[in-house]
Amino acid sequence: MKIYLIPFIILMAVASSCSTRKVASSKPRPAAPASRPSNTITETTLVRKYSADDYIERFKAIAIKEMNSYGIPASITLAQGILESGSGNSSLAREANNHFGIKCTPEWKGKTILKDDDQIDDCFRVYSNPEESFRDHSEFLKRKRYASLFELNKDDYRGWATGLKAAGYATNPRYAELLITLVERYDLSQYDRKEGYIEKIKREDKVLTEIAQNIPEEKKQETSKAPVEMKIYEVKQGDTMYSIAKRFAITVDELKILNDLGTGDVKLGQLLLVSK
């Protein structure tokens, strides 16, 4: 009897093993982890740095839209954005979608963020998207001190650059030159559009009427944006153009443009103009 039981025992063991494997294979496999988007910001990835060309491609359409509505040359709006936001790389642009340094005012009901500027913890406006920042920039310029600029042709970027500086938009004496340099370096005037005589008259009447309506409120809103102050940096031991550009959230190319630098390295003690 024992002899006949041995094959039976072996057969039962094999069947039991197969049954066990079958049950195990029927269990659902754990889902594979979802792939992380390449642009996700984590502790182990770097925030992408945008070049001026990236910035222009991203915002040229909204700059053209603002130009068609108010007459501000798209080239000037783009050049100002490049300067004031470091091509969208400044912390204010990244964290608050604020590309032109517009500060809080009593009537501002939106979100805010605190950043050290003229004072510690200055209050800046937070926008839900960059397009809102561009629109608010247009609204900011609709005040008496800039009124004469809206009588210029909307493709007159040189007139606008000079006029902004003369009206006190920026404290740096080279501000107009910097804007013109950026416009011509990146061929931004290609986005400007001429307008016919009748079209110009209608646009002027519309904007100048809005400016006249804003005059009673200007004194309250005057602190909403301080004049652009271009900072000067003195080159220290071990500095490179790359390290300086990174410190001030601009690109090496932009640093070269701001200071008319060639391909050579910076020198110890050299004074460089950097975007705010």
Side-chain angles (χ1 to χ4, degrees):
M1 292 294 294
K2 291 182 179 179
I3 295 175
Y4 293 107
L5 284 173
I6 291 174
F8 178 75
I9 292 172
I10 293 174
L11 181 61
M12 291 297 292
V14 171
S16 175
S17 174
C18 291
S19 176
T20 302
R21 285 198 298 271
K22 184 176 181 180
V23 171
S25 64
S26 66
K27 291 182 180 179
R29 296 182 179 179
S35 59
R36 189 183 299 277
S38 59
N39 61 347
T40 298
I41 299 174
T42 71
E43 294 179 358
T44 59
T45 60
L46 295 176
V47 176
R48 178 181 174 186
K49 293 293 184 180
Y50 291 92
S51 68
D53 288 326
D54 292 331
Y55 190 86
I56 294 162
E57 186 63 27
R58 169 66 177 84
F59 296 113
K60 63 185 181 183
I62 184 63
I64 291 171
K65 181 179 180 181
E66 294 301 303
M67 173 184 64
N68 290 336
S69 296
Y70 300 105
I72 307 166
S75 59
I76 287 294
T77 299
L78 288 169
Q80 287 185 290
I82 290 170
L83 274 178
E84 296 200 42
S85 73
S87 297
N89 294 315
S90 70
S91 60
L92 193 60
R94 294 197 315 268
E95 298 169 22
N97 288 315
N98 191 329
H99 288 236
F100 300 94
I102 306 294
K103 293 185 177 180
C104 306
T105 51
E107 73 276 5
W108 176 251
K109 305 304 181 184
K111 295 181 180 179
T112 62
I113 189 172
L114 301 180
K115 293 282 184 183
D116 293 348
D117 191 56
D118 299 317
Q119 301 177 12
I120 296 175
D121 285 344
D122 267 339
C123 181
F124 289 88
R125 300 181 182 189
V126 174
Y127 303 100
S128 59
N129 54 62
E131 284 76 4
E132 287 185 3
S133 179
F134 276 69
R135 171 51 54 87
D136 208 23
H137 171 255
S138 298
E139 294 293 333
F140 170 80
L141 291 176
K142 286 163 48 182
R143 54 184 62 205
K144 185 177 180 181
R145 67 159 66 180
Y146 304 117
S148 62
L149 298 181
F150 291 94
E151 297 177 15
L152 298 172
N153 292 328
K154 65 180 184 180
D155 61 345
D156 184 4
Y157 68 86
R158 286 181 170 272
W160 266 86
T162 303
L164 284 169
K165 177 64 187 75
Y169 185 92
T171 59
N172 188 275
R174 291 186 58 212
Y175 188 72
E177 178 188 342
L178 292 171
L179 289 182
I180 292 171
T181 297
L182 286 171
V183 170
E184 296 177 351
R185 166 66 176 81
Y186 294 105
D187 192 22
L188 300 180
S189 61
Q190 66 178 297
Y191 306 117
D192 296 338
R193 300 288 184 270
K194 292 183 178 181
E195 57 188 342
Y197 177 76
I198 300 300
E199 181 186 5
K200 183 174 184 289
I201 293 298
K202 289 182 178 180
R203 190 258 306 162
E204 282 180 9
D205 287 345
K206 172 180 176 292
V207 176
L208 293 178
T209 298
E210 293 176 0
I211 289 175
Q213 294 171 346
N214 289 339
I215 288 176
E217 298 296 323
E218 282 189 17
K219 186 169 285 188
K220 296 180 185 178
Q221 298 178 358
E222 198 60 38
T223 57
S224 65
K225 188 179 189 308
V228 178
E229 179 185 1
M230 295 300 171
K231 294 182 179 178
I232 302 297
Y233 177 75
E234 182 178 355
V235 178
K236 305 293 193 301
Q237 187 69 39
D239 279 340
T240 64
M241 282 195 285
Y242 174 78
S243 66
I244 296 170
K246 183 177 180 182
R247 174 179 298 187
F248 292 99
I250 59 177
T251 67
V252 171
D253 284 343
E254 289 158 356
L255 184 63
K256 290 179 180 179
I257 291 169
L258 289 173
N259 295 277
D260 296 321
L261 297 174
T263 57
D265 292 331
V266 292
K267 299 177 181 179
L268 184 65
Q270 184 177 356
L271 296 179
L272 296 177
L273 180 64
V274 293
S275 181
K276 185 174 181 180

